[in-house]
Amino acid sequence: TSASAATSASAATSASASAFALPSSVKFVVISYALATILQDELRAANFKAVVCDESHYLKTRDSKRTLAIVPMLETATRAILLSGTPALSRPSELYSQINALSPSAFGSYSAFAKRYCDLRYNGNALVANGCENVRELNALLSSTVMLRRLKRDVLSGLLPKTREVVLIDPYVHSSASSHANANANANASTNAAGGAVSPAAASRAEFNSIDSIRASLAEAEARGGKAEARSLMVQYYSESASIKLRAVEDYVGRLVASTKDKIVIFAHHRLMLDTVSEIPLAGVPHVRIDGNTSPAARDNAVRAFQE
């Protein structure tokens, strides 16, 4: 078949979906998941012999409209190919709707799959399958049935190897201004009474004293078996750790940006760290930011802007 016979249904709209019909001469259809969901009846009627789903992790939710619309087409096609760099974003249960569409007999029912590989359990309200069990067995099963994996080194032989480096920073020299308020609250009790001021060094010591206190409380909670308390203290510990190194990271990123014209991707766990990096070392530097508050549309726009 000729590539010139291909057509794209991406220009269709939901308003005209009911009137949409594929011409008999059409050999290929390139369509988005959203539009395929709207036109599912018309696409099923076309009885395609081959279906290719790119970014197939969009089918990870078993009962979503998208999955319920697309999976039947995969099941009836003579050949079905799912492509994804991240078929499961966080847990094995996200694989089921994809792999079951390719080979239902290999994986059995969802409940059997979830019980074997997803730590299926009752949480007091409903059955949940958010865990992960028997991963080696699952990998072997996938590899022997439906999964063909290609690593980056297999397909991008010209790509330079990664260089991993641990950068040591000095929080005493570049103490976090934003956390000085907390540190000063601890140190000012004695110094302000005497009319003195808290030096940066004293503030840094107060910060470290605070985090040492959290670490000690964490060890005590773990020794007592207080899991909830330990989790709370661990979150607090990570937050304090970020605050202590804010200015040091700010200084490092500023020097890194000034030293290269290449694009840089910066990851951070805490929004406070992203705020600091965005406001100071990247001030005046064209950049995009994506965090948990970024809408899907804004995220797509930011990715495109970065790639251009």
Side-chain angles (χ1 to χ4, degrees), residues 27-294:
K27 304 299 182 183
F28 300 94
V29 172
V30 181
I31 190 169
S32 68
Y33 282 115
L35 196 52
T37 302
I38 296 171
L39 301 176
Q40 57 183 291
D41 293 335
E42 290 80 2
L43 293 173
R44 290 181 192 175
N47 193 29
F48 289 107
K49 302 302 180 184
V51 177
V52 179
C53 292
D54 193 18
E55 305 292 355
S56 64
H57 51 267
Y58 283 109
L59 305 176
K60 66 184 178 69
T61 305
R62 291 189 307 133
D63 55 356
S64 70
K65 291 182 179 180
R66 178 192 299 134
T67 302
L68 295 175
I70 303 298
V71 164
M73 301 181 208
L74 294 169
E75 293 174 335
T76 58
T78 304
R79 304 201 181 279
I81 301 173
L82 304 185
L83 307 172
S84 178
T86 52
L89 299 179
S90 60
R91 53 182 67 93
S93 60
E94 297 173 346
L95 290 170
Y96 184 79
S97 57
Q98 302 171 67
I99 59 181
N100 189 62
L102 297 175
S103 182
S105 61
F107 302 98
S109 67
Y110 174 74
S111 59
F113 180 88
K115 184 176 181 180
R116 182 65 182 168
Y117 303 112
C118 310
D119 190 25
L120 181 66
R121 63 179 60 196
Y122 185 69
N123 68 357
N125 296 309
L127 287 172
V128 294
N130 296 332
C132 182
E133 289 187 318
N134 302 309
V135 290
R136 291 186 179 181
E137 177 186 315
L138 178 58
N139 181 268
L141 179 60
L142 292 172
S143 299
S144 64
T145 53
V146 298
M147 183 174 72
L148 181 62
R149 189 182 184 196
R150 290 291 180 263
L151 300 178
K152 184 166 60 179
R153 64 171 177 265
D154 299 324
V155 296
L156 293 174
S157 57
L159 192 66
L160 296 176
K162 288 182 181 177
T163 300
R164 298 181 182 272
E165 179 185 0
V166 177
V167 178
L168 299 179
I169 56 178
D170 186 354
Y172 280 108
V173 174
H174 302 285
S175 185
S176 164
S178 63
S179 60
H180 276 180
N182 294 333
N184 288 352
N186 296 328
N188 279 355
S190 59
T191 54
N192 281 352
V198 179
S199 67
S204 292
R205 284 194 297 272
E207 290 173 341
F208 276 94
N209 289 339
S210 174
I211 203 168
D212 285 342
S213 175
I214 296 172
R215 186 188 295 116
S217 298
L218 176 60
E220 293 174 2
E222 290 175 338
R224 292 194 307 270
K227 294 183 178 180
E229 182 185 0
R231 283 194 296 269
S232 176
L233 287 168
M234 182 60 72
V235 171
Q236 186 180 354
Y237 181 81
Y238 280 132
S239 179
E240 289 291 332
S241 297
S243 296
I244 286 176
K245 59 188 178 185
L246 281 177
R247 296 306 165 210
V249 172
E250 170 197 311
D251 176 74
Y252 173 77
V253 171
R255 288 185 282 111
L256 182 64
V257 170
S259 67
T260 181
K261 295 185 180 299
D262 295 332
K263 293 181 179 181
I264 302 172
V265 180
I266 300 172
F267 294 90
H269 183 82
H270 294 92
R271 188 172 288 113
L272 179 62
M273 184 66 75
L274 288 176
D275 290 342
T276 299
V277 172
S278 299
E279 291 170 2
I280 302 178
L282 296 185
V285 178
H287 67 279
V288 297
R289 170 174 170 171
I290 297 174
D291 58 34
N293 291 330
T294 307

